[in-house]
Amino acid sequence: MLAAVSTTASPPHTITLDQGWTFRQQGKPDGAWMPATVPGCVHTDLLASKKIADPFYRTNEKDQQWIENASWEYRTSFKVDREVLAHDRVDLVFKGLDTYARVSLNGRPLLTANNMFREWRADAKRLLKEGDNQLVILFASPIETVMPAYQKLGYVLPAVNDQAEKRVSIFTRKAPYHYGWDWGPRLVTAGVWRPVLLQAWSGARIVDVQVVQGPLTDQVAKLSAVVEVEAARAGKALLSLRLRGKEQLATREVQLRRGVNKTRLEFEIAEPRRWWPAGMGEQALYPIDVDAALPGGEAVAPFSTRVGLRTIEVVHQKDKDGKSFFFKVNGVPVFMKGANYIPSDSFPSRVTADRYRSLLQSAVDANMNMLRVWGGGIYEDDKFYDLCDELGLLVWQDFMFGCSLYPGDKDFLENVRQEAIENVRRLRNHPSVAIWAGNNESEAAWVGWGWQKQFGWTKQQQARIWGDYKKLFHVLLPKVCKEHDPGRFYTRSSPSANDDALPVNKVGFGDMHFWGVWHAQEPYESYKANTSRFMSEYGFQSFPELETVKSYTLPTDWNIESPVMLSHQRHPRGNQLIREYMQRDYRTPRDFPSFLYVGQLLQAEIIRFAAEAHRRRMPYCMGSLYWQLDDCWPVASWSGMDYHLRWKALHYYARRFFAPVLVSPTEDGGVVSVHLVSDRQKELAGRLVVRLQDFAGKVLSEVARDVRVPAGSSASYHSVPRAELLKGVDPGKVVLVAELREKTTPLGRSLFYFAKAKDLTLPAPQLAVNVSRAAAGGVTVSLTAGRLAKNVYLGGVTIPGRFSDNYFDLLAGETVNIDFRTEAPATIDLEAFQKALAVRTLVDTF
Ligand code: BMA
């Protein structure tokens, strides 16, 4: 054992270098230095210095394209004292540089960087001096830098969402969506996008702790911690591990060599509490601290991590229907409900912890248990995964590749290898991370998007391109995952059946992205026939609500074909498709605000149709993640929540269609049936009531029956031929109400209409609206409908906050109380609120 540690040596220092930064465009004659924010980027810095206008406003983005072709210098100075310099090592650590950066310290080169997704560390001691030090970073244009590679390649690689004529984005390891997407602007940033640290240490430094979970029972969790220690000099160290604030669980004396050393500490946690996805149980988390004591007495910064104890498997096996794809958590098959996550800002360094929390809490509030961090964005910030751990949101993590093909030269592959290693290591202790995926849609594209013809490649070129693809996604990335995170499943691409002999993106085989609805204009009813084993993408667009539209337009722009609105609609056929689908189901909205409202309903109804179809097919289908949760700027898109975090109709609907117990009426071949889908882990006993009533509330028929719904099941509990049900009544004048109750508690209710919205004979709803002060100090809106009120929408209020429900149907004679949720409810001026409140229903919009 080592002797007691003395504390004479100076402690390790970490200084965050976030002060005093300035920037300027390189090579500009009048190039004055302007204040910069670090972390940040050139666009937000130019904006802060009023050199550019808000890129999200109107068509400002178009005038700002020059930024990507310029190079930018960032600099700061910082003081270092003798105490810091006395350490063995003084590292400069860059958590993220975007992207082609040359860093110099006191006029001498320190490091070069070429990957936004990597961390860069260099021993700066030899270049540092006591007193002031000058740090300069030169960011070369990510466009210009790779232009020679683009020109030299000899063939063009597809990058379908890159919005430039010369699509060079695939040569650069930088967030693909910066180059534009079919929901995103083109804002190719540069800058110091994650923190810069100065870390001084002596003797040794704990680099990383990987917690590997062994056998897990209710009695005990057997774990090991693989501790990586970098030693500045050889010597002994005593490593110890404890649960935060608890007794020590493991200790080990090790002989360190100079350089990186790996040691394993075995430990156990008695009576472990499991980590469960949201809706299934608690999210028990165990914070772990690892210390290292050195005989010389140098202090070593402890390393902290946090784990959750759970098993997770992806069951991806051939079966009679094709090849399964589902997740088992703690041995239980879990139906994944959720959405695809895109970076929530074009400038990711702007995303605060509060914003992450609000987005992720909204996901949980909508009964989601999984998000897919999609491959065209970024490996998200640590805060994102911490919150997912805490909230029980499983993460499907793509590597950052999407809808494109990539070079396969040695340097590129090595750069990706390092990126993958770093990110796998960074994220692997998170219980929320459920799966790694190589890329978004590149395999499906190669097989089905006609690229071979479109790009006119020779046979040889094709062999090379596909060979390069395989090197990256079939060899390199799975190898990194296996080596650094052996317990987690890797899937080549989303979608994929992970087998060259099996079809990709075909019903029955693995996960599926179904875009027949929307891209191929198929009627949304075809979601039923196109339900596969795991639906990892499907979607439909809408515009954001008027308040959000106002944030980027003038009233003169309020026409979806205006240049401003078109610039915030990046799908080339977006408007046409929305119109087309809207005409199929709705009457023409009378004005612009009505159009926005109907458009949101259209999206919500279509996605509801899909998600319910997916859930009814459980266990054949075991996942439904719609495209997309959020936006990176205010835009027309497939999102359920807009850039200002306003819930669209879709997000409110999602809370209902992803409810733990779903009542789902549907019609097939002239038969109307009511399905009950339960995600509960126990059987439920309830009473199902199915009632046909007219819009004035008159009940035409009613049946009720006791039902037992097994754990994790879906089945039909009631079915009647449509003709028999309607018995001659006008289908446009009645609604089927299906309700499930558990004792006296209502568990779920769904309405089924027999005609499309445009063919319903909707009455004037005779709505009585009453606004009052809620008990908790906020505001409650109480609504009573004399007749059916279809898709009641509460809006007009500009105070930040949200209604507890919206876009819902109210049956004749019903009353609901809707709360307005906001940060400081007591401060709301009741009278002003009442004045601003605008209530509309579907019948008001034609
Ligand atoms: C899928 C996604 C995205 C895209 C969306 C809508 O292909 O992976 O690339 O934004 O469809 O087109």
Side-chain angles (χ1 to χ4, degrees), residues 545-547 550 558 587-601 649 762-769 781 783 785 788-797 803 805-810 818 836-846:
E545 69 176 70
L546 190 60
E547 280 311 311
K550 282 182 191 167
W558 292 357
R587 288 191 243 162
T588 310
R590 65 158 75 118
D591 53 20
F592 184 72
S594 303
F595 171 83
L596 299 181
Y597 158 84
V598 174
Q600 287 208 11
L601 291 178
L762 292 176
Q766 304 172 358
L767 263 188
V769 183
V781 182
L783 298 132
L788 170 76
K790 187 137 183 42
N791 302 120
V792 179
Y793 170 66
L794 307 179
V797 177
F803 289 99
D805 201 1
N806 224 335
Y807 304 93
F808 50 86
D809 290 358
L810 210 50
I818 307 293
L837 180 70
V839 181
R840 63 161 77 222
T841 71
L842 189 58
V843 78
D844 308 322
T845 60
F846 307 129

Side-chain angles (χ1 to χ4, degrees), residues 51-124:
K51 296 291 167 194
I52 59 170
D54 178 4
F56 292 174
Y57 188 64
R58 303 195 78 223
T59 55
N60 288 346
E61 171 212 356
K62 309 283 181 231
D63 307 327
Q64 299 173 5
Q65 294 306 311
W66 60 273
I67 297 170
E68 65 180 42
N69 296 313
S71 294
W72 301 93
E73 281 175 280
Y74 276 74
R75 71 170 187 198
T76 189
S77 63
F78 58 95
K79 277 201 178 2
V80 171
D81 58 25
R82 193 172 305 170
E83 207 193 344
V84 167
L85 288 176
H87 280 282
D88 290 348
R89 286 270 300 267
V90 188
D91 293 344
L92 261 173
V93 186
F94 301 88
K95 293 282 186 187
L97 294 172
D98 172 15
T99 291
Y100 295 107
R102 287 215 311 268
V103 183
S104 59
L105 185 59
N106 296 327
R108 310 252 305 275
L110 180 72
L111 61 85
T112 59
N114 62 352
N115 187 330
M116 177 181 177
F117 304 126
R118 284 172 64 183
E119 178 178 314
W120 308 89
R121 174 186 288 268
D123 185 357

Side-chain angles (χ1 to χ4, degrees), residues 95 149 214 228 244 261 296 302 306 474 519 534 576 641 654 689 711 785:
K95 293 282 186 187
E228 254 184 59
R244 181 148 326 137
N261 301 258
R306 196 172 61 169
H474 294 187
H519 286 295
F534 191 105
Q576 178 208 327
M641 223 182 311
V689 181

Side-chain angles (χ1 to χ4, degrees), residues 176-470:
Y177 80 111
H178 281 167
Y179 297 83
W181 214 268
D182 56 5
W183 37 257
R186 181 180 176 92
L187 294 162
V188 186
T189 61
V192 190
W193 77 293
R194 279 182 171 162
V196 183
L197 311 172
L198 186 78
Q199 281 184 352
W201 54 281
S202 289
R205 163 178 91 87
I206 306 176
V207 177
D208 191 33
V209 175
Q210 177 191 15
V211 181
V212 182
Q213 185 185 291
L216 173 64
T217 65
D218 289 347
Q219 288 71 45
V220 68
K222 299 202 171 186
L223 304 146
S224 52
V226 182
V227 183
E228 254 184 59
V229 179
E230 183 181 10
R233 43 192 143 88
K236 284 190 174 152
L238 181 66
L239 301 179
S240 58
L241 178 150
R242 69 182 71 234
L243 293 183
R244 181 148 326 137
K246 302 261 170 66
E247 79 283 13
Q248 192 162 292
L249 290 178
T251 166
R252 184 161 175 187
E253 194 183 300
V254 289
Q255 181 64 47
L256 300 175
R257 282 168 290 104
R258 203 163 171 264
V260 176
N261 301 258
K262 258 194 192 178
T263 311
R264 203 173 256 268
L265 296 181
E266 312 285 342
F267 66 106
E268 292 185 358
I269 297 176
E271 289 168 28
R273 281 150 50 222
R274 302 279 173 125
W275 185 94
W276 286 97
M280 295 184 78
E282 69 164 333
Q283 286 76 51
L285 292 167
Y286 290 90
I288 290 171
D289 296 324
V290 176
D291 283 288
L294 305 179
E298 289 96 344
V300 175
F303 191 100
S304 299
T305 185
R306 196 172 61 169
V307 297
L309 305 171
R310 84 312 174 248
T311 60
I312 189 153
E313 272 169 85
V314 176
V315 184
H316 189 34
Q317 286 163 355
K318 284 194 194 161
D319 60 17
K320 66 172 177 25
D321 299 307
K323 196 171 180 186
S324 71
F325 195 105
F326 68 92
F327 292 82
K328 260 190 184 174
V329 184
N330 293 323
V332 183
V334 185
F335 190 101
M336 294 301 162
K337 301 179 287 193
N340 286 269
Y341 185 90
I342 65 162
S344 97
D345 202 304
S346 288
F347 311 118
S349 42
R350 275 211 298 217
V351 182
T352 61
D354 279 351
R355 186 167 171 91
Y356 275 126
R357 180 172 288 283
S358 179
L359 272 157
L360 297 174
Q361 185 62 53
S362 284
V364 173
D365 289 346
N367 292 308
M368 296 184 181
N369 57 11
M370 178 178 263
L371 295 176
R372 171 168 172 249
V373 176
W374 161 84
I378 57 171
Y379 306 92
E380 284 293 335
D381 193 274
D382 292 339
K383 292 189 278 283
F384 176 93
Y385 302 94
D386 285 341
L387 282 163
C388 288
D389 292 346
E390 288 159 22
L391 294 169
L393 286 168
L394 287 164
V395 174
W396 172 312
Q397 180 67 50
D398 283 2
F399 287 95
M400 292 303 126
F401 301 91
C403 302
S404 307
L405 293 172
Y406 299 86
D409 57 89
K410 243 178 66 217
D411 290 351
F412 184 85
L413 292 178
E414 184 50 28
N415 195 0
V416 170
R417 203 168 74 85
Q418 291 307 330
E419 161 194 331
I421 291 172
E422 285 180 25
N423 284 286
V424 167
R425 285 164 54 106
R426 179 167 71 89
L427 303 183
R428 65 190 170 186
N429 286 348
H430 289 280
S432 56
V433 176
I435 184 173
W436 300 109
N439 65 63
N440 173 69
E441 294 186 350
S442 296
E443 181 182 341
W446 177 260
V447 175
W449 292 8
W451 280 350
Q452 292 76 358
K453 243 200 189 148
Q454 186 190 338
F455 288 87
W457 299 311
T458 65
K459 281 270 172 275
Q460 263 168 332
Q461 285 169 340
Q462 289 187 35
R464 161 127 187 237
I465 293 168
W466 190 240
D468 286 345
Y469 176 92
K470 284 201 190 159

Side-chain angles (χ1 to χ4, degrees), residues 687-692 699 701-705 718 720 725 737 739:
R687 192 162 175 80
L688 174 68
V689 181
V690 182
R691 192 167 71 232
L692 185 76
V699 176
S701 69
E702 179 170 308
V703 287
R705 66 171 51 139
H718 179 75
V720 200
L725 199 55
V737 184
E739 280 172 337

